[in-house]
Amino acid sequence: MQVTIVGTGYVGLVTGAALAKTGNTVTCLDIDPGKVALLRQGTSPFYEPGLSELLTQNIEAGRLHFTDDRAAAYADAEVIFICVGTPTGDDERCDLTAVLAVADDIAANMPGHDPVVVVKSTVPVGTTKRIAERISGGTTQPFHIANNPEFLREGNALDDFMRPDRIVCGTDSREAETRLRAVYEPFTSQGHPLLVFDIPSSEMVKYASNAMLACKISFVNEIATLCERLGADINLVRAGMGTDHRIGTEFLAPGIGYGGSCFPKDTLAVIEMGEDTQSPCLINQAVHAINQRQRQRFLKRIIDHFDGDIRNKQVAVWGLAFKPQTDDVRAAPSIDILRGLLDGGAAVTAYDPEAAANFTAEVPQVRTATDRYSAVEGADVLIICTEWDEFRAPDFAKVRSLMASPVMFDGRNMYRPCEVAKAGFTYHSIGRPTAKACQTSPA
Ligand code: NAD
């Protein structure tokens, strides 16, 4: 199959590389010529485990091509996947500028045969139809339309794409369904189900799924706050809840809240759909509000530790990415927390294995360190924002000896409080009692 991917972000690039691996001829189109130049050399513009290797293999096999030339990209396409961003706009509504611009591009460069246009970007219900109408407004050539939301997670994206829990498609067109079944046959033949729905239901599945996961995170964070106030330990509470098979423990890890390019904007889009249909989405409003509050509470606890005055305090930070295994900092809790510390007059030095460059592009006042130990030199406090594996078992004695004051605020509950306290730290975490240092001299 001749496949065209529009947009070489996390979703587009992974989709393109995976579909090339399964034997399709794939052309990836992006309007950013710098990205296209990098991709032609087999280099991914972002960190995603295994992706650069897969790109190189498929470029060398002649199945994967990159271009910024719209006419060339659309000329032979049998299936076109729209994978451009749908961020939250300044008005907190889903910004459809990029997907609608792609619709105009497709209309202006419509192939002579009838392609299937597949909306893979996450879009509010009704948008796939709007895209189809937009294309029809610019061309008389026939085409088919489908929606096909993507569920991959950054950091595990290739595996998620190739071994999905489910593939969801929405279409009214038999031809679109036939071609999508053919494209996904290498995955469905391995037992991964493909569910074909009407278009609005397919669009809604994506939002309902992300909203549910975001809801679990805010739920556990709300209970964690109660635990802090009432002297309970959220990790024990979670373990006790999680053994109930109806509940489980997935997405019930307490922390400083969710970030990234999906949960925050998708929760807002659900709220927007509720407002537009005069059916306010009260749970989703609360999920969003709790998530914002969680960052601010953490920031306030740090400032309170210094009696409200963090001027000239040296703050060390481990982890900037919105989650481990990615360099993505979009809507990361670290952004709000570190901005708050800088606004209060603190000096911040941070270490992240992959996300430092993206972070300093957003918040240039933060100094970055090249490793976890140099980040803590002379620090009055260490803050953990992302649970990268390399932070799991640090040499606590070394960390303590490098810091000016052994205080830790762990936003991801990475350690056992008694262990950190024994190493001489005062240890604050989420939803658990603060552990006071129980040794006074360095180990
Ligand atoms: P991204 O922001 O990483 O990448 C989008 C790319 O599209 C950019 O490279 C940009 O240059 C390009 N682009 C913009 N306009 C274009 C045009 N007219 N023609 C060609 N290229 C164009 O996006 P992403 O994170 O991959 O997300 C894409 C969509 O997938 C969003 O709707 C998102 O909600 C959804 N999604 C994302 C994830 C994720 O983990 N990132 C997971 C599932 C679904």
Side-chain angles (χ1 to χ4, degrees):
M1 196 92 71
Q2 295 279 345
V3 173
T4 291
I5 305 283
V6 192
T8 59
Y10 293 84
V11 167
L13 209 46
V14 168
T15 305
L19 295 184
K21 182 179 191 286
T22 53
N24 300 287
T25 303
V26 178
T27 301
C28 295
L29 167 70
D30 204 289
I31 48 170
D32 181 341
K35 255 188 194 180
V36 170
L38 211 57
L39 286 165
R40 282 184 174 147
Q41 295 160 17
T43 307
S44 170
F46 50 84
Y47 173 74
E48 181 61 45
L51 184 56
S52 286
E53 293 83 335
L54 194 62
L55 293 176
T56 309
Q57 283 162 14
N58 285 285
I59 292 168
E60 283 171 2
R63 291 189 295 261
L64 184 57
H65 311 274
F66 296 95
T67 184
D68 57 0
D69 177 341
R70 293 164 169 84
Y74 292 121
D76 300 321
E78 292 169 90
V79 181
I80 300 168
F81 285 96
I82 302 178
C83 304
V84 297
T86 47
T88 303
D90 292 339
D91 56 0
E92 297 222 322
R93 293 176 67 83
C94 183
D95 181 351
L96 299 174
T97 310
V99 280
L100 294 175
V102 173
D104 293 340
D105 284 347
I106 293 173
N109 296 283
M110 182 58 88
H113 48 277
D114 56 342
V116 176
V117 177
V118 184
V119 180
K120 206 171 212 353
S121 301
T122 304
V123 289
V125 176
T127 307
T128 301
K129 183 167 174 243
R130 200 171 150 197
I131 289 169
E133 287 165 358
R134 187 95 167 208
I135 298 172
S136 301
T139 179
T140 53
Q141 298 273 357
F143 66 95
H144 308 272
I145 189 84
N147 178 265
N148 169 219
E150 181 50 57
F151 299 97
L152 63 77
R153 293 163 296 174
E154 288 175 24
N156 204 50
L158 290 173
D159 200 51
D160 284 347
F161 190 91
M162 293 195 255
R163 273 178 279 280
D165 289 339
R166 77 304 204 190
I167 301 160
V168 173
C169 297
T171 187
D172 305 328
S173 153
R174 254 176 209 283
E175 183 57 30
E177 180 177 339
T178 303
R179 273 188 236 173
L180 280 168
R181 284 193 184 282
V183 165
Y184 283 119
E185 198 277 335
F187 311 107
T188 52
S189 64
Q190 304 289 315
H192 305 289
L194 186 146
L195 311 172
V196 181
F197 298 150
D198 60 87
I199 291 174
S201 302
S202 168
E203 292 171 320
M204 188 59 100
V205 169
K206 173 68 190 175
Y207 283 113
S209 304
N210 272 2
M212 182 73 219
L213 295 172
C215 183
K216 291 180 85 174
I217 294 171
S218 280
F219 174 85
V220 80
N221 282 334
E222 186 170 73
I223 299 290
T225 302
L226 275 184
C227 287
E228 274 168 33
R229 295 282 152 85
L230 298 171
D233 179 331
I234 187 66
N235 277 27
L236 302 180
V237 173
R238 179 186 177 225
M241 282 169 74
T243 46
D244 184 329
H245 70 273
R246 294 168 305 175
I247 300 173
T249 51
E250 290 242 7
F251 278 79
L252 285 178
I256 46 178
Y258 57 78
S261 69
C262 292
F263 288 1
K265 83 172 176 61
D266 292 350
T267 309
L268 287 173
V270 172
I271 295 168
E272 173 189 335
M273 287 188 275
E275 283 166 359
D276 289 353
T277 54
Q278 290 78 49
S279 39
C281 292
L282 303 179
I283 291 178
N284 285 280
Q285 288 172 11
V287 165
H288 175 67
I290 292 166
N291 196 54
Q292 297 308 105
R293 185 182 70 176
Q294 196 68 1
R295 302 162 179 210
Q296 295 307 327
R297 282 191 66 252
F298 190 64
L299 172 63
K300 183 170 181 311
R301 286 173 65 196
I302 298 165
I303 296 173
D304 286 351
H305 169 79
F306 294 105
D307 295 326
D309 185 2
I310 54 168
R311 277 175 300 173
N312 302 319
K313 296 296 176 203
Q314 302 295 318
V315 177
V317 181
W318 283 358
L320 297 166
F322 85 91
K323 66 173 186 177
Q325 297 297 330
T326 183
D327 60 0
D328 198 345
V329 300
R330 288 179 284 185
S334 58
I335 292 185
D336 288 343
I337 293 163
L338 270 56
R339 278 202 178 125
L341 294 167
L342 290 162
D343 287 349
V348 179
T349 304
Y351 167 67
D352 187 287
E354 298 293 338
N358 283 345
F359 192 88
T360 48
E362 289 283 325
V363 189
Q365 306 92 316
V366 167
R367 279 195 303 261
T368 55
T370 50
D371 68 276
R372 60 194 166 151
Y373 293 116
S374 60
V376 302
E377 279 169 22
D380 296 303
V381 61
L382 168 61
I383 297 170
I384 299 177
C385 287
T386 317
E387 66 277 34
W388 285 94
D389 276 346
E390 71 173 87
F391 303 150
R392 285 200 187 281
D395 179 342
F396 286 119
K398 182 170 178 179
V399 175
R400 188 184 167 196
S401 70
L402 289 168
M403 290 178 70
S405 168
V407 178
M408 207 186 290
F409 279 82
D410 179 358
R412 299 297 179 184
N413 285 9
M414 294 200 73
Y415 311 122
R416 287 191 302 129
C418 59
E419 188 191 350
V420 191
K422 259 193 218 150
F425 288 86
T426 298
Y427 178 65
H428 305 264
S429 56
I430 306 291
R432 300 188 291 184
T434 294
K436 297 270 191 247
C438 49
Q439 79 172 47
T440 47
S441 56

